[in-house]
Amino acid sequence: MTLPLTIDPDASDPPFEQVRRGVVDLVARGELIVGTRLPTVRALAEDLGIAANTAARAYRELEEAGVIETRGRKGSFVAAQSSSARERAQQATTEHVSALRALGVGDDEIAAMLTAALRGTP
């Protein structure tokens, strides 16, 4: 897996912080969901053109923050989200349901749409 991140060598933030912030943003936007396996430190470093120690530091900080979890030789994965992320997700869901209701969509149809979306079917 390749993460859709880029490193700006001219940015004021160091590369490890750019990686850390980028992963947090991907998780918050739902582009990386709980349980998603992340690239190895070495693969991430190679993809982004950064040192392996830089990628390792970003992963360490993400793990300390509870964003990712490392499962030994199995790799690193997106961890269950923090309560603040869950609160934002609940708020987004509530707003989405409200918008669908405003369009005249009934609750049964909304539930069917959510189920289809979870299954990845249109």
Side-chain angles (χ1 to χ4, degrees), residues 7-121:
I7 299 301
D8 179 359
D10 298 324
S12 59
D13 291 335
F16 81 88
E17 175 60 20
Q18 293 178 51
V19 172
R20 187 204 64 77
R21 187 178 56 245
V23 171
V24 168
D25 289 345
L26 290 169
V27 170
R29 289 194 313 258
E31 293 182 41
L32 289 176
I33 61 171
V34 173
T36 301
R37 185 170 191 225
L38 300 173
T40 64
V41 167
R42 187 171 295 173
L44 179 66
E46 187 175 309
D47 288 345
L48 297 177
I50 59 176
N53 287 339
T54 300
R57 180 172 179 186
Y59 273 17
R60 264 193 319 277
E61 293 201 7
L62 288 163
E63 189 166 20
E64 288 171 6
V67 176
I68 69 170
E69 60 186 0
T70 301
R71 302 177 190 162
R73 299 189 81 111
K74 292 182 181 181
S76 297
F77 299 82
V78 176
Q81 297 176 359
S82 67
S83 62
S84 63
R86 287 184 183 164
E87 289 169 7
R88 289 193 315 268
Q90 180 61 53
Q91 180 180 358
T93 302
T94 300
E95 290 170 1
H96 184 69
V97 168
S98 293
L100 290 172
R101 286 178 176 158
L103 292 171
V105 179
D107 288 353
D108 289 341
E109 191 173 356
I110 292 171
M113 288 176 177
L114 289 172
T115 300
L118 290 169
R119 291 184 181 148
T121 57

